[in-house]
Amino acid sequence: MTSPDPIITAAATDDPRIQQLIRDLDADLAARYPDEPCTGGAHISPGIRFLLAEVDGRPVGCCAVQPFPFPDNAAELKRMYVTPEARGRGIAADVLAEAERTATALGHTEIRLETAVHQPEAIALYTRAGYTLIPNYPPYQHKTLSRCYAKPLPLPEARPQDREEVTAFLMGQGLSSQDVLAPGTRYWLARDEAGPAATVGLERQGHCVLLRSVAVRSDLRGCGAARRLVQRVLAEAATQGGRTAYLFSTGAGPVWERLGFRPVPVAEAAEALSDAPQVRQYRATGTLTGEAAWRHDLITVTTGNLPPLSADHSAADAAHAAAVTGR
């Protein structure tokens, strides 16, 4: 292996390279804990997303990001492994950082993990990366050898120098880039190994906020990412004194209803946010009357009480929501 940096990409659960690395991981764990059967694959959910690290085309490591069941908005790091010959080169830190970016792009507010006492190198890696020890969570709460850790995942706020990147991403998702990062707006931009992954924007006037530009890249949809992004941004708005959230959307009513919004007259939203860039744009172009407005009272918003997208509609609704706000 001559390349100094690993190439980290998303991989399917049944990818033969991932499967071989998992077998190697299980063998490693069996050697470290001969009296405790490995259960690393016993708690894998359909929503898990694997990452594969390769150097010079050779698989050298993997990990996975798995959501905790709703209403918990955290993700769990699972199946973290680097081959013995590739250790000591910083590959594990690179894989871990990419897992955190992936979890952030999926809207998760925190990442947790379980390791154990006979993996001191893993504990050192997590500690260096900013993870703190927490009480063991299920199904590890009664395992005396297990150690659980957690790290918060802030949603990166877009900077003025990110304007072109945000603009290109929104246009690629079929959304308008008008007034992106204009005065009076805030945007968040999550990235992963494939580039821009998710955006959400807010415009504010007094105690009212306008939600716009909710976009999730197509390969990340269908797992609640849009719901989590909306939820965490509205929760932050509420903690900063926001009382009412509005949005304009003509084609995704069922989505917003499941997220706690209700339809209101367009005039109500336009009056409450008369100075918001999006409202001014609609007035200037004469398109305001053709819009549909939605409202959510933020006094009810916390970090975990917005309803999930239903199982029957999750993928379609998340994809639809990603293409209808902030047109």
Side-chain angles (χ1 to χ4, degrees), residues 39-277:
T39 59
H43 311 292
I44 300 298
S45 79
I48 196 166
R49 290 177 181 267
F50 273 91
L51 297 174
L52 172 70
E54 297 178 286
V55 173
D56 293 335
R58 180 178 180 181
V60 297
C62 67
C63 75
V65 174
Q66 175 170 283
F68 280 96
F70 182 83
D72 194 332
N73 277 338
E76 185 176 20
L77 179 76
K78 300 188 75 72
R79 314 311 276 154
M80 180 78 174
Y81 180 69
V82 173
T83 60
E85 66 272 16
R87 294 172 188 169
R89 300 171 54 190
I91 291 174
D94 290 339
V95 173
L96 179 60
E98 188 57 43
E100 294 171 2
R101 285 189 286 268
T102 297
T104 300
L106 293 170
H108 295 291
T109 57
E110 182 180 65
I111 190 164
R112 303 175 196 144
L113 62 90
E114 181 268 347
T115 185
V117 295
H118 298 319
Q119 293 159 267
E121 70 281 19
I123 292 175
L125 168 70
Y126 300 135
T127 302
R128 286 195 304 270
Y131 288 76
T132 57
L133 191 66
I134 60 172
N136 287 2
Y137 53 83
Y140 310 110
Q141 68 270 39
H142 301 305
K143 294 185 177 293
T144 58
L145 298 182
S146 290
R147 299 292 184 270
C148 291
Y149 291 80
K151 180 179 181 179
L153 296 174
L155 187 61
E157 187 163 355
R159 305 159 298 173
Q161 56 265 41
D162 298 323
R163 185 187 309 276
E164 290 187 5
E165 190 173 25
V166 174
T167 296
F169 178 69
L170 290 175
M171 293 179 66
Q173 306 303 308
L175 297 179
S176 170
S177 59
Q178 183 76 29
D179 295 320
V180 167
L181 290 173
T185 69
R186 291 182 70 191
Y187 274 78
W188 290 264
L189 171 65
R191 304 176 178 88
D192 61 9
E193 99 290 337
T199 61
V200 59
L202 276 184
E203 300 173 5
R204 181 166 183 168
Q205 183 175 332
H207 294 295
C208 297
V209 296
L210 183 65
L211 182 70
R212 61 176 302 183
S213 302
V214 180
V216 177
R217 203 175 60 222
S218 59
D219 60 299
L220 298 177
R221 297 174 191 167
C223 61
R227 171 184 58 79
R228 287 187 291 265
L229 286 167
V230 169
Q231 180 174 318
R232 70 182 301 179
V233 168
L234 293 187
E236 179 172 337
T239 63
Q240 295 181 358
R243 297 176 183 173
T244 307
Y246 291 95
L247 63 87
F248 295 104
S249 174
T250 58
V255 177
W256 303 116
E257 288 177 343
R258 278 188 283 274
L259 290 175
F261 286 82
R262 57 184 175 85
V264 294
V266 169
E268 177 186 325
E271 181 178 356
L273 289 147
S274 58
D275 290 332

Side-chain angles (χ1 to χ4, degrees), residues 288-314:
L288 184 62
T289 56
E291 291 298 323
W294 301 82
R295 171 176 173 163
H296 192 307
D297 294 325
L298 297 185
I299 193 169
T300 65
V301 177
T302 69
T303 57
N305 75 337
L306 285 181
L309 299 180
S310 67
D312 290 341
H313 299 283
S314 178

